[in-house]
Amino acid sequence: MAQNDLMSNAEDVADQFLRVTKQYLPHIARLCLISTFLEDGIRMWFQWSEQKEYIETTWGCGFFLATLFVLINLLGQLGGCILILSRNFVQYACFGLFGLIALQTVAYSILWDPKFLMRNLALGGGLLLLLAESRSEGRSMFAGVPTMRESSPKQYMQLGGRVLLVLMFMTLLHFDTSFLSILQNLVGTALIVLVAIGFKTKLAALTLVIWLLAINVYFNAFWTIPAYKPMHDFLKYDFFQTTSVIGGLLLVVALGPGGVSMDEKKKEW
C-alpha cells in the first residue's frame, strides 16, 4: 500500500510539472535536442583547418573532398538547427541531420566504437521523436497505403525513438561490485526498461532527465578545463550529446509514449 501511495504521489508531481511547463516544455526539448548539432556546427567553423586536416589525413581523400566534408557538416547542422527551431521544413531538417549522423559515424570511425555508436543511435532516437512530433496523426509515410491507428508510422517512430534513446544509458552503466554502482545500475536499468516499453512513461522519462542532468553537469563539466587542453573538447562533446538525449526524453515527457506502449494499452483494458 505504501509503495502504491509513493508511486501515486510521484505521478501527481510529474503531472503537476507538466501542467506548469506545458507551454514551454516542447520548445526547451527542441533546443536541448539540437544543441549537439549546433555546437558541432559552430566547432566546424572555429576549427575549420583542424577538421579538414583530420579528414584529409585519415582518409587520404585530398583537399577538395575534405573541405567539402567540413562544409557539408557546418551548413547542414547549422541550417538544420535553424529550421527546427523556427519550425519550418522540420521533416527535411531531421532527414538531413540523420544523414549527417550517418556520415560522421563513418568518417570518424564511430562504427567500431560501441560506446560512441550507441550515443549516435540515441541521437537518432531523439530526431525520430522530433520527426514524429512534426507529423500529423492521421498522415501515412507511404502514400496510398492505409494504416490502422495502432500501426500509424508516427506511433512506430515514437516507439523507435524511445528504444534508441535508452541506448545512452547503456554507456553509463558501471560494471563493478561497489554498492553504489550496483544500485545505480539497477535503478537506471529499471527506468530505461519502463521508457522503452512505455509503462509509467512520463514519470520514468522525467526521472531519467533529472538523473542524466545531474550526471552531465558533474562528469562533463568542460568549463572547468582550460580551452587549450584536449580534455576540454572531449567533455564538451559528451556534454552536448547528453543534453540532446535529455531533449529527446523531454519530448517523451511532453508528448507521451504514443500508441505502441503499455500506457496506451492500459487505457484500452
Side-chain angles (χ1 to χ4, degrees):
M1 182 65 70
Q3 186 178 5
N4 289 336
D5 289 341
L6 181 62
M7 182 63 70
S8 178
N9 290 335
E11 289 183 316
D12 288 342
V13 171
D15 288 338
Q16 180 63 28
F17 172 80
L18 283 173
R19 282 193 291 271
V20 172
T21 61
K22 179 173 60 176
Q23 294 181 335
Y24 313 105
L25 197 58
H27 303 291
I28 295 172
R30 281 170 171 256
L31 181 59
C32 288
L33 204 156
I34 59 94
S35 63
T36 191
F37 301 105
L38 190 60
E39 186 275 333
D40 196 50
I42 293 171
R43 182 159 54 87
M44 290 287 174
W45 175 267
F46 285 102
Q47 297 181 2
W48 177 277
S49 298
E50 294 93 327
Q51 295 293 329
K52 182 174 61 64
E53 288 172 10
Y54 173 83
I55 295 299
E56 189 174 358
T57 303
T58 302
W59 292 97
C61 57
F63 174 84
F64 176 76
L65 289 179
T67 302
L68 184 62
F69 172 85
V70 178
L71 185 63
I72 288 173
N73 275 273
L74 190 155
L75 296 179
Q77 290 184 109
L78 294 183
C81 290
I82 291 170
L83 291 177
I84 287 170
L85 290 177
S86 64
R87 294 180 179 267
N88 292 309
F89 304 103
V90 174
Q91 295 185 38
Y92 294 105
C94 287
F95 285 126
L97 292 176
F98 276 128
L100 289 176
I101 289 176
L103 182 63
Q104 291 184 1
T105 298
V106 174
Y108 294 113
S109 301
I110 292 173
L111 198 59
W112 315 116
D113 188 322
K115 176 181 177 180
F116 286 102
L117 179 60
M118 284 193 285
R119 291 191 173 193
N120 269 17
L121 289 172
L123 275 181
L127 287 176
L128 205 55
L129 288 169
L130 188 57
L131 189 60
E133 185 210 18
S134 70
R135 294 179 60 88
S136 59
E137 184 71 35
R139 291 177 58 190
S140 170
M141 183 182 295
F142 306 100
V145 179
T147 57
M148 301 293 289
R149 182 183 63 85
E150 293 82 0
S151 60
S152 70
K154 176 179 177 179
Q155 294 176 353
Y156 278 115
M157 286 179 196
Q158 289 177 284
L159 172 63
R162 293 199 320 269
V163 172
L164 289 175
L165 271 183
V166 302
L167 291 177
M168 167 62 80
F169 296 90
M170 302 302 293
T171 70
L172 301 176
L173 298 179
H174 301 285
F175 298 100
D176 56 61
T177 57
S178 69
F179 174 76
L180 187 60
S181 291
I182 293 173
L183 180 63
Q184 178 178 312
N185 288 347
L186 289 175
V187 174
T189 301
L191 289 171
I192 63 178
V193 168
L194 290 177
V195 171
I197 66 175
F199 183 67
K200 306 286 185 184
T201 316
K202 292 184 178 181
L203 177 59
L206 187 58
T207 305
L208 283 175
V209 165
I210 296 170
W211 181 35
L212 194 54
L213 185 61
I215 289 175
N216 200 25
V217 171
Y218 183 77
F219 288 107
N220 295 326
F222 65 89
W223 52 88
T224 64
I225 307 294
Y228 64 85
K229 293 189 175 182
M231 184 57 68
H232 177 89
D233 279 346
F234 286 128
L235 292 180
K236 191 175 182 181
Y237 172 80
D238 278 355
F239 179 87
F240 282 103
Q241 273 216 325
T242 306
T243 301
S244 288
V245 174
I246 289 173
L249 287 168
L250 286 174
L251 274 181
V252 173
V253 174
L255 304 175
V260 188
S261 64
M262 294 289 291
D263 286 342
E264 190 67 24
K265 295 303 178 185
K266 278 171 57 184
K267 296 176 184 178
E268 299 177 3
W269 298 339

PDB file of all heavy atoms in Angstrom, residues 74-87:
ATOM      1  N   LEU A  74      29.108  21.749 -41.547  1.00  0.00           N
ATOM      2  CA  LEU A  74      28.850  23.088 -40.997  1.00  0.00           C
ATOM      3  C   LEU A  74      27.478  23.604 -41.427  1.00  0.00           C
ATOM      4  O   LEU A  74      26.637  23.954 -40.588  1.00  0.00           O
ATOM      5  CB  LEU A  74      29.957  24.033 -41.463  1.00  0.00           C
ATOM      6  CG  LEU A  74      30.021  25.435 -40.829  1.00  0.00           C
ATOM      7  CD1 LEU A  74      31.433  25.986 -40.916  1.00  0.00           C
ATOM      8  CD2 LEU A  74      29.063  26.419 -41.536  1.00  0.00           C
ATOM      9  N   LEU A  75      27.244  23.649 -42.737  1.00  0.00           N
ATOM     10  CA  LEU A  75      25.983  24.200 -43.248  1.00  0.00           C
ATOM     11  C   LEU A  75      24.797  23.299 -42.913  1.00  0.00           C
ATOM     12  O   LEU A  75      23.716  23.788 -42.563  1.00  0.00           O
ATOM     13  CB  LEU A  75      26.078  24.393 -44.764  1.00  0.00           C
ATOM     14  CG  LEU A  75      27.120  25.411 -45.248  1.00  0.00           C
ATOM     15  CD1 LEU A  75      27.124  25.482 -46.772  1.00  0.00           C
ATOM     16  CD2 LEU A  75      26.847  26.786 -44.645  1.00  0.00           C
ATOM     17  N   GLY A  76      25.001  21.981 -43.008  1.00  0.00           N
ATOM     18  CA  GLY A  76      23.904  21.049 -42.736  1.00  0.00           C
ATOM     19  C   GLY A  76      23.431  21.114 -41.295  1.00  0.00           C
ATOM     20  O   GLY A  76      22.220  21.127 -41.027  1.00  0.00           O
ATOM     21  N   GLN A  77      24.377  21.168 -40.362  1.00  0.00           N
ATOM     22  CA  GLN A  77      23.989  21.181 -38.950  1.00  0.00           C
ATOM     23  C   GLN A  77      23.401  22.524 -38.530  1.00  0.00           C
ATOM     24  O   GLN A  77      22.347  22.566 -37.882  1.00  0.00           O
ATOM     25  CB  GLN A  77      25.199  20.827 -38.082  1.00  0.00           C
ATOM     26  CG  GLN A  77      25.606  19.376 -38.239  1.00  0.00           C
ATOM     27  CD  GLN A  77      26.742  18.968 -37.325  1.00  0.00           C
ATOM     28  OE1 GLN A  77      26.559  18.231 -36.367  1.00  0.00           O
ATOM     29  NE2 GLN A  77      27.941  19.463 -37.611  1.00  0.00           N
ATOM     30  N   LEU A  78      24.053  23.617 -38.901  1.00  0.00           N
ATOM     31  CA  LEU A  78      23.521  24.930 -38.528  1.00  0.00           C
ATOM     32  C   LEU A  78      22.194  25.200 -39.231  1.00  0.00           C
ATOM     33  O   LEU A  78      21.251  25.721 -38.624  1.00  0.00           O
ATOM     34  CB  LEU A  78      24.535  26.025 -38.853  1.00  0.00           C
ATOM     35  CG  LEU A  78      25.838  25.995 -38.047  1.00  0.00           C
ATOM     36  CD1 LEU A  78      26.726  27.186 -38.426  1.00  0.00           C
ATOM     37  CD2 LEU A  78      25.562  26.014 -36.546  1.00  0.00           C
ATOM     38  N   GLY A  79      22.112  24.837 -40.512  1.00  0.00           N
ATOM     39  CA  GLY A  79      20.862  25.031 -41.246  1.00  0.00           C
ATOM     40  C   GLY A  79      19.736  24.188 -40.679  1.00  0.00           C
ATOM     41  O   GLY A  79      18.603  24.667 -40.522  1.00  0.00           O
ATOM     42  N   GLY A  80      20.027  22.922 -40.357  1.00  0.00           N
ATOM     43  CA  GLY A  80      19.014  22.048 -39.761  1.00  0.00           C
ATOM     44  C   GLY A  80      18.515  22.582 -38.433  1.00  0.00           C
ATOM     45  O   GLY A  80      17.314  22.545 -38.146  1.00  0.00           O
ATOM     46  N   CYS A  81      19.427  23.086 -37.604  1.00  0.00           N
ATOM     47  CA  CYS A  81      19.042  23.642 -36.297  1.00  0.00           C
ATOM     48  C   CYS A  81      18.127  24.850 -36.461  1.00  0.00           C
ATOM     49  O   CYS A  81      17.123  24.989 -35.741  1.00  0.00           O
ATOM     50  CB  CYS A  81      20.282  24.039 -35.501  1.00  0.00           C
ATOM     51  SG  CYS A  81      21.274  22.642 -34.932  1.00  0.00           S
ATOM     52  N   ILE A  82      18.457  25.718 -37.422  1.00  0.00           N
ATOM     53  CA  ILE A  82      17.629  26.912 -37.655  1.00  0.00           C
ATOM     54  C   ILE A  82      16.224  26.515 -38.103  1.00  0.00           C
ATOM     55  O   ILE A  82      15.219  27.064 -37.622  1.00  0.00           O
ATOM     56  CB  ILE A  82      18.297  27.826 -38.699  1.00  0.00           C
ATOM     57  CG1 ILE A  82      19.569  28.447 -38.120  1.00  0.00           C
ATOM     58  CG2 ILE A  82      17.335  28.922 -39.161  1.00  0.00           C
ATOM     59  CD1 ILE A  82      20.429  29.172 -39.131  1.00  0.00           C
ATOM     60  N   LEU A  83      16.127  25.548 -39.005  1.00  0.00           N
ATOM     61  CA  LEU A  83      14.817  25.097 -39.487  1.00  0.00           C
ATOM     62  C   LEU A  83      13.991  24.469 -38.366  1.00  0.00           C
ATOM     63  O   LEU A  83      12.787  24.715 -38.250  1.00  0.00           O
ATOM     64  CB  LEU A  83      14.999  24.092 -40.624  1.00  0.00           C
ATOM     65  CG  LEU A  83      15.544  24.644 -41.948  1.00  0.00           C
ATOM     66  CD1 LEU A  83      15.745  23.523 -42.950  1.00  0.00           C
ATOM     67  CD2 LEU A  83      14.606  25.709 -42.520  1.00  0.00           C
ATOM     68  N   ILE A  84      14.642  23.668 -37.520  1.00  0.00           N
ATOM     69  CA  ILE A  84      13.925  23.001 -36.430  1.00  0.00           C
ATOM     70  C   ILE A  84      13.430  24.011 -35.408  1.00  0.00           C
ATOM     71  O   ILE A  84      12.279  23.952 -34.954  1.00  0.00           O
ATOM     72  CB  ILE A  84      14.822  21.935 -35.770  1.00  0.00           C
ATOM     73  CG1 ILE A  84      14.963  20.725 -36.701  1.00  0.00           C
ATOM     74  CG2 ILE A  84      14.248  21.486 -34.418  1.00  0.00           C
ATOM     75  CD1 ILE A  84      16.002  19.727 -36.267  1.00  0.00           C
ATOM     76  N   LEU A  85      14.269  24.959 -35.032  1.00  0.00           N
ATOM     77  CA  LEU A  85      13.864  25.954 -34.041  1.00  0.00           C
ATOM     78  C   LEU A  85      12.785  26.885 -34.579  1.00  0.00           C
ATOM     79  O   LEU A  85      11.925  27.356 -33.832  1.00  0.00           O
ATOM     80  CB  LEU A  85      15.079  26.768 -33.587  1.00  0.00           C
ATOM     81  CG  LEU A  85      16.096  26.017 -32.725  1.00  0.00           C
ATOM     82  CD1 LEU A  85      17.284  26.915 -32.406  1.00  0.00           C
ATOM     83  CD2 LEU A  85      15.454  25.505 -31.438  1.00  0.00           C
ATOM     84  N   SER A  86      12.818  27.148 -35.882  1.00  0.00           N
ATOM     85  CA  SER A  86      11.815  28.032 -36.486  1.00  0.00           C
ATOM     86  C   SER A  86      10.573  27.262 -36.924  1.00  0.00           C
ATOM     87  O   SER A  86       9.615  27.869 -37.415  1.00  0.00           O
ATOM     88  CB  SER A  86      12.410  28.768 -37.685  1.00  0.00           C
ATOM     89  OG  SER A  86      12.771  27.847 -38.716  1.00  0.00           O
ATOM     90  N   ARG A  87      10.616  25.914 -36.785  1.00  0.00           N
ATOM     91  CA  ARG A  87       9.501  25.031 -37.151  1.00  0.00           C
ATOM     92  C   ARG A  87       9.152  25.136 -38.639  1.00  0.00           C
ATOM     93  O   ARG A  87       7.983  25.084 -39.033  1.00  0.00           O
ATOM     94  CB  ARG A  87       8.263  25.317 -36.290  1.00  0.00           C
ATOM     95  CG  ARG A  87       8.460  24.982 -34.813  1.00  0.00           C
ATOM     96  CD  ARG A  87       7.229  25.269 -33.995  1.00  0.00           C
ATOM     97  NE  ARG A  87       7.433  24.914 -32.605  1.00  0.00           N
ATOM     98  CZ  ARG A  87       7.123  23.733 -32.059  1.00  0.00           C
ATOM     99  NH1 ARG A  87       6.604  22.792 -32.816  1.00  0.00           N
ATOM    100  NH2 ARG A  87       7.318  23.507 -30.782  1.00  0.00           N
TER     101      ARG A  87
END
